[in-house]
Amino acid sequence: MGEVTVNTEWLSDCSGCHVAIVDLHEKILNVLEAVRIQRCPVLTDIKEYPHATVGLVSGAIRNEHDRHAAEQMRKSCDIVIAWGSCAVFGGPAGAGNVHTPDEIAAAVYLENKTTIPAPPPKREVSPLESVVSPLDTVIDVDFYLPGCPPHPVFIFEALTALVAGREPEVNRRSVCAKCKRNMEKTEVTEIRSSFDGIPDPERCFLSQGYTCMGSVTIDRCLAPCPTNGVPCTGCAGATMQILTEPNRDIRTEIADRMSRLTKIDRDEIVRSLERSSKSHYSYTMATSMIGCKPTFQIKRWIEDEQADYEAGGCR
Ligand code: SF4
Ligand code: SF4
Ligand code: SF4
């Protein structure tokens, strides 16, 4: 491939994927030697969309601006990469899909206990669409680079692969593949919250009754959370097995594994995961690969949790 030019754009997101470019540190020099970055909201003040070989698009589609910007990127770039979990799956904002835009606006502007209530702005902020949508529901996408944000190793690999004229390497491993903790059978009988006790640093969180999503999450991070004492929350999105196999599901996969490793009843684990489903599915629920599965019934789980709470039975 000759000179590789790059445009980037961010849609509805937290800007973390763009900030991850800075985390390339001195590797950015290698990238800059090989590519010419043209449009990039954190580095350049270019509003237009010049023609580019590669377009990196972060963020999900949530309003008219996002649709327009995504379409401009598709028209101007030969290759479009959905960059980060927001673009690939909808990302954490996807949890908004269990509420209406009016409910979200009311929670932010009218019912927020830490701010003075005020009507939602109409002119300055584009209205929210009814749901959060991943990038490929609006434009064709050539490659997917999930992660929240993707680790610089994977960003670098993707860019250097494209410069070399080859396809970026596809890694199908789960976070467990890079985690050093030992999965072993224990006598643990209770599910633990993240604030219960101090976890054993050598042992798999599941063996100790803590919820860890490493086994159902694709490795786009090299397992920093379990390595540093924090269970994985699944921010890179689900593994290909979970996404593509209709009968595999985040909550049942974790429950199967944890119940085999402990003495905790499988159904109790499933119910516990359903009660906190907005957390466990937040990164991926906006993608039809999760949201349209017959096993995904988050609205019912939330109603059950509310009923439990009102009956005083919530843990
Ligand atoms: S994927 Fe994560 S880091 Fe990237 S924009 Fe979305 S929330 Fe931010
Ligand atoms: S489930 Fe979590 S703690 Fe256990 S091996 Fe996988 S990533 Fe590590
Ligand atoms: S270990 Fe899990 S929560 Fe932590 S960065 Fe990786 S995918 Fe995200």
Side-chain angles (χ1 to χ4, degrees), residues 138-194:
V138 171
I139 59 168
D140 287 339
V141 166
D142 300 296
F143 296 109
Y144 296 85
L145 192 57
C148 184
H151 191 284
V153 163
F154 295 106
I155 298 175
F156 185 69
E157 204 291 311
L159 288 176
T160 49
L162 291 169
V163 168
R166 62 178 170 83
E167 292 196 357
E169 195 182 314
V170 178
N171 160 23
R172 294 178 188 275
R173 292 185 306 257
S174 74
V175 169
C176 294
K178 287 285 172 187
C179 175
K180 301 279 188 293
R181 290 171 177 266
N182 302 315
M183 278 188 180
E184 50 199 20
K185 179 84 181 159
T186 65
E187 301 295 309
V188 168
T189 54
E190 284 190 351
I191 300 168
R192 292 176 172 162
S193 304
S194 53

Short mmCIF file of all heavy atoms in Angstrom, two decimals, residues 138-194:
data_model
loop_
_atom_site.label_atom_id
_atom_site.label_comp_id
_atom_site.label_asym_id
_atom_site.label_seq_id
_atom_site.Cartn_x
_atom_site.Cartn_y
_atom_site.Cartn_z
N VAL A 138 -25.77 1.78 10.45
CA VAL A 138 -25.97 2.99 9.65
C VAL A 138 -25.08 3.00 8.40
O VAL A 138 -25.51 3.42 7.33
CB VAL A 138 -25.70 4.23 10.52
CG1 VAL A 138 -25.67 5.51 9.70
CG2 VAL A 138 -26.79 4.34 11.59
N ILE A 139 -23.84 2.55 8.53
CA ILE A 139 -22.94 2.49 7.37
C ILE A 139 -22.26 1.12 7.33
O ILE A 139 -22.20 0.42 8.35
CB ILE A 139 -21.84 3.59 7.42
CG1 ILE A 139 -20.99 3.45 8.69
CG2 ILE A 139 -22.44 4.97 7.30
CD1 ILE A 139 -19.74 4.31 8.66
N ASP A 140 -21.72 0.77 6.16
CA ASP A 140 -20.94 -0.47 6.06
C ASP A 140 -19.62 -0.29 6.80
O ASP A 140 -18.97 0.75 6.68
CB ASP A 140 -20.64 -0.80 4.60
CG ASP A 140 -21.88 -1.29 3.88
OD1 ASP A 140 -22.83 -1.74 4.57
OD2 ASP A 140 -21.92 -1.18 2.64
N VAL A 141 -19.23 -1.32 7.53
CA VAL A 141 -17.98 -1.30 8.29
C VAL A 141 -17.07 -2.41 7.76
O VAL A 141 -17.54 -3.52 7.49
CB VAL A 141 -18.27 -1.50 9.80
CG1 VAL A 141 -17.02 -1.82 10.59
CG2 VAL A 141 -18.97 -0.26 10.37
N ASP A 142 -15.79 -2.12 7.60
CA ASP A 142 -14.87 -3.12 7.06
C ASP A 142 -14.19 -3.95 8.15
O ASP A 142 -13.99 -5.14 8.00
CB ASP A 142 -13.81 -2.42 6.20
CG ASP A 142 -14.46 -1.67 5.05
OD1 ASP A 142 -15.07 -2.34 4.20
OD2 ASP A 142 -14.39 -0.43 5.01
N PHE A 143 -13.80 -3.29 9.25
CA PHE A 143 -13.13 -4.00 10.34
C PHE A 143 -13.68 -3.52 11.69
O PHE A 143 -14.14 -2.38 11.81
CB PHE A 143 -11.62 -3.78 10.31
CG PHE A 143 -10.96 -4.32 9.09
CD1 PHE A 143 -10.46 -3.47 8.12
CD2 PHE A 143 -10.85 -5.69 8.89
CE1 PHE A 143 -9.86 -3.96 6.97
CE2 PHE A 143 -10.25 -6.20 7.75
CZ PHE A 143 -9.76 -5.34 6.79
N TYR A 144 -13.57 -4.42 12.67
CA TYR A 144 -14.08 -4.10 14.02
C TYR A 144 -12.92 -4.18 15.01
O TYR A 144 -12.16 -5.15 15.01
CB TYR A 144 -15.16 -5.11 14.42
CG TYR A 144 -16.39 -5.05 13.53
CD1 TYR A 144 -16.43 -5.75 12.33
CD2 TYR A 144 -17.48 -4.27 13.89
CE1 TYR A 144 -17.54 -5.68 11.51
CE2 TYR A 144 -18.60 -4.20 13.07
CZ TYR A 144 -18.63 -4.91 11.87
OH TYR A 144 -19.73 -4.83 11.05
N LEU A 145 -12.82 -3.16 15.86
CA LEU A 145 -11.76 -3.13 16.86
C LEU A 145 -12.39 -2.79 18.21
O LEU A 145 -12.36 -1.65 18.66
CB LEU A 145 -10.74 -2.05 16.45
CG LEU A 145 -9.40 -1.99 17.16
CD1 LEU A 145 -8.66 -3.32 17.06
CD2 LEU A 145 -8.55 -0.89 16.57
N PRO A 146 -13.03 -3.81 18.86
CA PRO A 146 -13.67 -3.51 20.14
C PRO A 146 -12.66 -3.24 21.24
O PRO A 146 -11.46 -3.48 21.08
CB PRO A 146 -14.50 -4.76 20.42
CG PRO A 146 -13.84 -5.85 19.65
CD PRO A 146 -13.19 -5.21 18.46
N GLY A 147 -13.15 -2.79 22.38
CA GLY A 147 -12.29 -2.44 23.51
C GLY A 147 -12.77 -1.11 24.05
O GLY A 147 -13.33 -0.33 23.30
N CYS A 148 -12.55 -0.85 25.30
CA CYS A 148 -13.11 0.36 25.91
C CYS A 148 -12.05 1.10 26.74
O CYS A 148 -12.12 1.08 27.94
CB CYS A 148 -14.31 -0.01 26.77
SG CYS A 148 -15.19 1.37 27.48
N PRO A 149 -11.11 1.76 26.08
CA PRO A 149 -10.85 1.73 24.65
C PRO A 149 -10.02 0.50 24.30
O PRO A 149 -9.51 -0.18 25.19
CB PRO A 149 -10.00 3.00 24.44
CG PRO A 149 -9.24 3.13 25.72
CD PRO A 149 -10.15 2.64 26.81
N PRO A 150 -9.83 0.21 22.98
CA PRO A 150 -8.91 -0.88 22.64
C PRO A 150 -7.53 -0.56 23.20
O PRO A 150 -7.12 0.60 23.21
CB PRO A 150 -8.89 -0.85 21.10
CG PRO A 150 -10.08 -0.08 20.69
CD PRO A 150 -10.39 0.88 21.79
N HIS A 151 -6.84 -1.58 23.67
CA HIS A 151 -5.47 -1.39 24.19
C HIS A 151 -4.58 -0.87 23.05
O HIS A 151 -4.74 -1.29 21.89
CB HIS A 151 -4.96 -2.74 24.69
CG HIS A 151 -3.69 -2.65 25.48
ND1 HIS A 151 -2.48 -2.45 24.88
CD2 HIS A 151 -3.45 -2.71 26.81
CE1 HIS A 151 -1.54 -2.40 25.81
NE2 HIS A 151 -2.11 -2.55 26.99
N PRO A 152 -3.63 0.05 23.36
CA PRO A 152 -2.74 0.57 22.32
C PRO A 152 -2.07 -0.52 21.49
O PRO A 152 -1.82 -0.34 20.29
CB PRO A 152 -1.70 1.37 23.11
CG PRO A 152 -2.41 1.80 24.34
CD PRO A 152 -3.38 0.69 24.67
N VAL A 153 -1.79 -1.68 22.10
CA VAL A 153 -1.17 -2.80 21.34
C VAL A 153 -2.04 -3.16 20.14
O VAL A 153 -1.55 -3.38 19.03
CB VAL A 153 -0.99 -4.03 22.26
CG1 VAL A 153 -0.78 -5.31 21.45
CG2 VAL A 153 0.16 -3.81 23.22
N PHE A 154 -3.37 -3.20 20.35
CA PHE A 154 -4.27 -3.62 19.27
C PHE A 154 -4.49 -2.49 18.26
O PHE A 154 -4.66 -2.74 17.08
CB PHE A 154 -5.60 -4.11 19.85
CG PHE A 154 -5.44 -5.36 20.68
CD1 PHE A 154 -5.52 -5.31 22.06
CD2 PHE A 154 -5.18 -6.58 20.08
CE1 PHE A 154 -5.34 -6.45 22.83
CE2 PHE A 154 -5.01 -7.73 20.85
CZ PHE A 154 -5.09 -7.66 22.23
N ILE A 155 -4.49 -1.24 18.75
CA ILE A 155 -4.61 -0.11 17.81
C ILE A 155 -3.38 -0.10 16.90
O ILE A 155 -3.48 0.03 15.68
CB ILE A 155 -4.70 1.24 18.57
CG1 ILE A 155 -5.96 1.28 19.44
CG2 ILE A 155 -4.72 2.41 17.59
CD1 ILE A 155 -6.06 2.53 20.30
N PHE A 156 -2.22 -0.26 17.52
CA PHE A 156 -0.97 -0.24 16.76
C PHE A 156 -0.95 -1.39 15.75
O PHE A 156 -0.58 -1.20 14.59
CB PHE A 156 0.21 -0.35 17.74
CG PHE A 156 1.55 -0.22 17.08
CD1 PHE A 156 1.95 0.99 16.54
CD2 PHE A 156 2.40 -1.31 16.99
CE1 PHE A 156 3.18 1.12 15.92
CE2 PHE A 156 3.63 -1.19 16.38
CZ PHE A 156 4.03 0.02 15.84
N GLU A 157 -1.39 -2.55 16.20
CA GLU A 157 -1.39 -3.72 15.31
C GLU A 157 -2.30 -3.47 14.11
O GLU A 157 -1.94 -3.74 12.96
CB GLU A 157 -1.87 -4.96 16.08
CG GLU A 157 -1.40 -6.29 15.54
CD GLU A 157 -1.99 -6.70 14.19
OE1 GLU A 157 -3.21 -6.64 13.98
OE2 GLU A 157 -1.19 -7.08 13.32
N ALA A 158 -3.48 -2.88 14.38
CA ALA A 158 -4.43 -2.64 13.29
C ALA A 158 -3.85 -1.64 12.29
O ALA A 158 -3.91 -1.87 11.07
CB ALA A 158 -5.75 -2.11 13.86
N LEU A 159 -3.26 -0.56 12.79
CA LEU A 159 -2.72 0.45 11.87
C LEU A 159 -1.53 -0.08 11.08
O LEU A 159 -1.43 0.12 9.86
CB LEU A 159 -2.32 1.71 12.66
CG LEU A 159 -3.50 2.54 13.20
CD1 LEU A 159 -3.02 3.70 14.05
CD2 LEU A 159 -4.36 3.07 12.05
N THR A 160 -0.64 -0.80 11.76
CA THR A 160 0.53 -1.30 11.04
C THR A 160 0.14 -2.38 10.03
O THR A 160 0.73 -2.50 8.95
CB THR A 160 1.62 -1.85 12.00
OG1 THR A 160 1.00 -2.73 12.91
CG2 THR A 160 2.32 -0.75 12.73
N ALA A 161 -0.90 -3.17 10.37
CA ALA A 161 -1.37 -4.18 9.41
C ALA A 161 -1.89 -3.51 8.15
O ALA A 161 -1.57 -3.92 7.02
CB ALA A 161 -2.48 -5.03 10.04
N LEU A 162 -2.66 -2.44 8.32
CA LEU A 162 -3.22 -1.77 7.15
C LEU A 162 -2.13 -1.10 6.32
O LEU A 162 -2.18 -1.11 5.09
CB LEU A 162 -4.27 -0.74 7.61
CG LEU A 162 -5.53 -1.40 8.19
CD1 LEU A 162 -6.42 -0.37 8.86
CD2 LEU A 162 -6.31 -2.12 7.09
N VAL A 163 -1.12 -0.56 7.02
CA VAL A 163 0.00 0.04 6.29
C VAL A 163 0.72 -1.03 5.47
O VAL A 163 1.12 -0.81 4.33
CB VAL A 163 0.99 0.70 7.28
CG1 VAL A 163 2.29 1.08 6.59
CG2 VAL A 163 0.36 1.94 7.91
N ALA A 164 0.84 -2.24 6.06
CA ALA A 164 1.52 -3.33 5.36
C ALA A 164 0.64 -3.99 4.31
O ALA A 164 1.06 -4.94 3.63
CB ALA A 164 1.99 -4.38 6.37
N GLY A 165 -0.60 -3.55 4.20
CA GLY A 165 -1.50 -4.09 3.19
C GLY A 165 -2.08 -5.44 3.57
O GLY A 165 -2.54 -6.19 2.72
N ARG A 166 -2.09 -5.77 4.88
CA ARG A 166 -2.72 -7.03 5.30
C ARG A 166 -3.88 -6.72 6.25
O ARG A 166 -3.98 -5.60 6.77
CB ARG A 166 -1.70 -7.95 5.98
CG ARG A 166 -1.08 -7.39 7.25
CD ARG A 166 -0.11 -8.36 7.90
NE ARG A 166 0.64 -7.69 8.97
CZ ARG A 166 0.17 -7.53 10.19
NH1 ARG A 166 -1.01 -7.98 10.52
NH2 ARG A 166 0.91 -6.90 11.11
N GLU A 167 -4.72 -7.74 6.48
CA GLU A 167 -5.85 -7.53 7.38
C GLU A 167 -5.38 -7.58 8.82
O GLU A 167 -4.49 -8.38 9.16
CB GLU A 167 -6.91 -8.61 7.16
CG GLU A 167 -7.58 -8.49 5.82
CD GLU A 167 -8.87 -9.29 5.74
OE1 GLU A 167 -9.23 -9.97 6.72
OE2 GLU A 167 -9.51 -9.23 4.69
N PRO A 168 -5.95 -6.74 9.71
CA PRO A 168 -5.55 -6.82 11.12
C PRO A 168 -5.83 -8.21 11.69
O PRO A 168 -6.79 -8.87 11.30
CB PRO A 168 -6.44 -5.77 11.80
CG PRO A 168 -6.88 -4.86 10.71
CD PRO A 168 -6.91 -5.68 9.46
N GLU A 169 -4.95 -8.64 12.60
CA GLU A 169 -5.09 -9.97 13.21
C GLU A 169 -6.38 -10.04 14.04
O GLU A 169 -6.70 -9.09 14.76
CB GLU A 169 -3.90 -10.19 14.14
CG GLU A 169 -3.69 -11.61 14.57
CD GLU A 169 -2.50 -11.69 15.52
OE1 GLU A 169 -1.45 -11.08 15.21
OE2 GLU A 169 -2.65 -12.32 16.57
N VAL A 170 -7.11 -11.13 13.90
CA VAL A 170 -8.33 -11.28 14.70
C VAL A 170 -8.03 -12.18 15.89
O VAL A 170 -7.60 -13.32 15.72
CB VAL A 170 -9.47 -11.90 13.85
CG1 VAL A 170 -10.71 -12.11 14.71
CG2 VAL A 170 -9.78 -10.99 12.67
N ASN A 171 -8.23 -11.65 17.08
CA ASN A 171 -7.96 -12.41 18.29
C ASN A 171 -9.30 -12.89 18.86
O ASN A 171 -10.18 -12.08 19.13
CB ASN A 171 -7.23 -11.47 19.27
CG ASN A 171 -7.32 -11.92 20.68
OD1 ASN A 171 -7.54 -13.10 20.95
ND2 ASN A 171 -7.15 -10.99 21.61
N ARG A 172 -9.47 -14.18 19.00
CA ARG A 172 -10.74 -14.71 19.49
C ARG A 172 -10.66 -15.16 20.94
O ARG A 172 -11.58 -15.77 21.46
CB ARG A 172 -11.18 -15.88 18.62
CG ARG A 172 -11.50 -15.45 17.20
CD ARG A 172 -11.89 -16.60 16.32
NE ARG A 172 -12.01 -16.16 14.94
CZ ARG A 172 -13.10 -15.62 14.43
NH1 ARG A 172 -14.16 -15.46 15.15
NH2 ARG A 172 -13.12 -15.24 13.17
N ARG A 173 -9.50 -14.90 21.61
CA ARG A 173 -9.36 -15.35 22.99
C ARG A 173 -10.23 -14.53 23.94
O ARG A 173 -10.57 -13.38 23.66
CB ARG A 173 -7.90 -15.20 23.45
CG ARG A 173 -6.92 -16.13 22.76
CD ARG A 173 -5.56 -15.95 23.41
NE ARG A 173 -5.17 -14.55 23.38
CZ ARG A 173 -4.28 -14.03 22.54
NH1 ARG A 173 -3.70 -14.79 21.65
NH2 ARG A 173 -3.98 -12.75 22.60
N SER A 174 -10.51 -15.12 25.11
CA SER A 174 -11.22 -14.35 26.15
C SER A 174 -10.19 -13.72 27.08
O SER A 174 -8.99 -14.05 27.02
CB SER A 174 -12.14 -15.28 26.95
OG SER A 174 -11.37 -16.08 27.80
N VAL A 175 -10.67 -12.84 27.94
CA VAL A 175 -9.78 -12.18 28.91
C VAL A 175 -9.06 -13.22 29.79
O VAL A 175 -7.91 -13.03 30.18
CB VAL A 175 -10.59 -11.18 29.77
CG1 VAL A 175 -9.79 -10.66 30.96
CG2 VAL A 175 -11.08 -10.02 28.91
N CYS A 176 -9.73 -14.35 30.08
CA CYS A 176 -9.11 -15.39 30.93
C CYS A 176 -7.76 -15.84 30.37
O CYS A 176 -6.88 -16.25 31.12
CB CYS A 176 -10.02 -16.61 31.04
SG CYS A 176 -11.55 -16.31 31.90
N ALA A 177 -7.60 -15.79 29.02
CA ALA A 177 -6.37 -16.29 28.41
C ALA A 177 -5.15 -15.51 28.89
O ALA A 177 -4.04 -16.05 28.91
CB ALA A 177 -6.47 -16.22 26.89
N LYS A 178 -5.34 -14.25 29.26
CA LYS A 178 -4.21 -13.44 29.72
C LYS A 178 -4.20 -13.26 31.24
O LYS A 178 -3.35 -12.56 31.78
CB LYS A 178 -4.26 -12.05 29.06
CG LYS A 178 -3.87 -12.08 27.59
CD LYS A 178 -2.38 -12.24 27.44
CE LYS A 178 -2.00 -12.45 26.00
NZ LYS A 178 -0.60 -12.77 25.80
N CYS A 179 -5.17 -13.85 31.93
CA CYS A 179 -5.27 -13.69 33.38
C CYS A 179 -4.46 -14.79 34.05
O CYS A 179 -4.54 -15.95 33.66
CB CYS A 179 -6.73 -13.78 33.80
SG CYS A 179 -6.99 -13.74 35.57
N LYS A 180 -3.70 -14.43 35.08
CA LYS A 180 -2.83 -15.41 35.74
C LYS A 180 -3.51 -16.11 36.93
O LYS A 180 -2.93 -16.96 37.57
CB LYS A 180 -1.56 -14.71 36.27
CG LYS A 180 -0.74 -14.01 35.19
CD LYS A 180 0.14 -15.00 34.44
CE LYS A 180 1.12 -14.34 33.51
NZ LYS A 180 0.48 -13.65 32.37
N ARG A 181 -4.73 -15.72 37.25
CA ARG A 181 -5.41 -16.32 38.40
C ARG A 181 -5.77 -17.79 38.13
O ARG A 181 -6.05 -18.16 37.00
CB ARG A 181 -6.69 -15.54 38.73
CG ARG A 181 -6.40 -14.16 39.30
CD ARG A 181 -7.64 -13.32 39.43
NE ARG A 181 -7.30 -12.05 40.05
CZ ARG A 181 -7.40 -11.80 41.34
NH1 ARG A 181 -7.88 -12.72 42.17
NH2 ARG A 181 -7.05 -10.64 41.84
N ASN A 182 -5.77 -18.60 39.19
CA ASN A 182 -6.05 -20.03 39.03
C ASN A 182 -7.51 -20.35 39.26
O ASN A 182 -8.07 -20.00 40.30
CB ASN A 182 -5.22 -20.84 40.04
CG ASN A 182 -3.74 -20.58 39.86
OD1 ASN A 182 -3.26 -20.57 38.73
ND2 ASN A 182 -3.04 -20.34 40.95
N MET A 183 -8.12 -21.01 38.26
CA MET A 183 -9.48 -21.50 38.45
C MET A 183 -9.37 -22.81 39.22
O MET A 183 -8.76 -23.76 38.73
CB MET A 183 -10.14 -21.77 37.10
CG MET A 183 -10.71 -20.54 36.43
SD MET A 183 -11.67 -20.97 34.98
CE MET A 183 -12.19 -19.36 34.44
N GLU A 184 -9.91 -22.86 40.43
CA GLU A 184 -9.86 -24.11 41.19
C GLU A 184 -11.15 -24.29 41.99
O GLU A 184 -11.80 -23.32 42.34
CB GLU A 184 -8.62 -24.13 42.10
CG GLU A 184 -8.47 -22.89 42.93
CD GLU A 184 -7.05 -22.70 43.47
OE1 GLU A 184 -6.10 -23.29 42.94
OE2 GLU A 184 -6.94 -21.98 44.46
N LYS A 185 -11.48 -25.52 42.25
CA LYS A 185 -12.72 -25.84 42.97
C LYS A 185 -12.57 -25.42 44.43
O LYS A 185 -11.54 -25.68 45.05
CB LYS A 185 -12.97 -27.34 42.85
CG LYS A 185 -14.18 -27.84 43.55
CD LYS A 185 -15.42 -27.67 42.71
CE LYS A 185 -16.65 -28.17 43.48
NZ LYS A 185 -17.91 -27.62 43.00
N THR A 186 -13.59 -24.75 44.96
CA THR A 186 -13.55 -24.31 46.36
C THR A 186 -14.84 -24.72 47.08
O THR A 186 -15.78 -25.21 46.45
CB THR A 186 -13.43 -22.77 46.45
OG1 THR A 186 -14.63 -22.20 45.91
CG2 THR A 186 -12.23 -22.24 45.70
N GLU A 187 -14.87 -24.43 48.38
CA GLU A 187 -16.06 -24.75 49.19
C GLU A 187 -16.96 -23.52 49.36
O GLU A 187 -17.85 -23.51 50.20
CB GLU A 187 -15.62 -25.23 50.59
CG GLU A 187 -14.71 -26.46 50.58
CD GLU A 187 -15.44 -27.69 50.05
OE1 GLU A 187 -16.55 -27.97 50.53
OE2 GLU A 187 -14.91 -28.32 49.11
N VAL A 188 -16.70 -22.48 48.59
CA VAL A 188 -17.45 -21.23 48.74
C VAL A 188 -18.94 -21.48 48.48
O VAL A 188 -19.31 -22.15 47.52
CB VAL A 188 -16.89 -20.16 47.76
CG1 VAL A 188 -17.81 -18.94 47.67
CG2 VAL A 188 -15.50 -19.73 48.19
N THR A 189 -19.79 -20.92 49.37
CA THR A 189 -21.24 -21.19 49.25
C THR A 189 -22.06 -19.94 48.98
O THR A 189 -23.27 -20.03 48.81
CB THR A 189 -21.77 -21.83 50.56
OG1 THR A 189 -21.42 -20.97 51.65
CG2 THR A 189 -21.21 -23.22 50.78
N GLU A 190 -21.40 -18.76 48.97
CA GLU A 190 -22.18 -17.52 48.80
C GLU A 190 -21.61 -16.64 47.70
O GLU A 190 -20.38 -16.52 47.57
CB GLU A 190 -22.17 -16.70 50.09
CG GLU A 190 -23.08 -17.26 51.14
CD GLU A 190 -23.24 -16.30 52.30
OE1 GLU A 190 -22.51 -15.29 52.36
OE2 GLU A 190 -24.11 -16.60 53.15
N ILE A 191 -22.52 -16.00 46.95
CA ILE A 191 -22.09 -14.99 45.97
C ILE A 191 -21.62 -13.77 46.75
O ILE A 191 -22.25 -13.36 47.72
CB ILE A 191 -23.27 -14.60 45.06
CG1 ILE A 191 -23.78 -15.82 44.31
CG2 ILE A 191 -22.87 -13.50 44.09
CD1 ILE A 191 -25.10 -15.61 43.61
N ARG A 192 -20.50 -13.19 46.33
CA ARG A 192 -19.98 -12.01 47.02
C ARG A 192 -20.11 -10.77 46.15
O ARG A 192 -19.93 -10.82 44.93
CB ARG A 192 -18.50 -12.21 47.35
CG ARG A 192 -18.30 -13.28 48.41
CD ARG A 192 -16.84 -13.50 48.63
NE ARG A 192 -16.61 -14.37 49.76
CZ ARG A 192 -15.48 -15.00 49.97
NH1 ARG A 192 -14.47 -14.87 49.13
NH2 ARG A 192 -15.34 -15.76 51.04
N SER A 193 -20.38 -9.63 46.79
CA SER A 193 -20.34 -8.34 46.10
C SER A 193 -18.90 -7.88 46.06
O SER A 193 -18.06 -8.35 46.84
CB SER A 193 -21.14 -7.30 46.86
OG SER A 193 -22.44 -7.73 47.04
N SER A 194 -18.62 -6.94 45.19
CA SER A 194 -17.22 -6.50 45.03
C SER A 194 -16.68 -5.89 46.31
O SER A 194 -15.48 -5.87 46.53
CB SER A 194 -17.11 -5.49 43.89
OG SER A 194 -18.02 -4.45 44.09
#
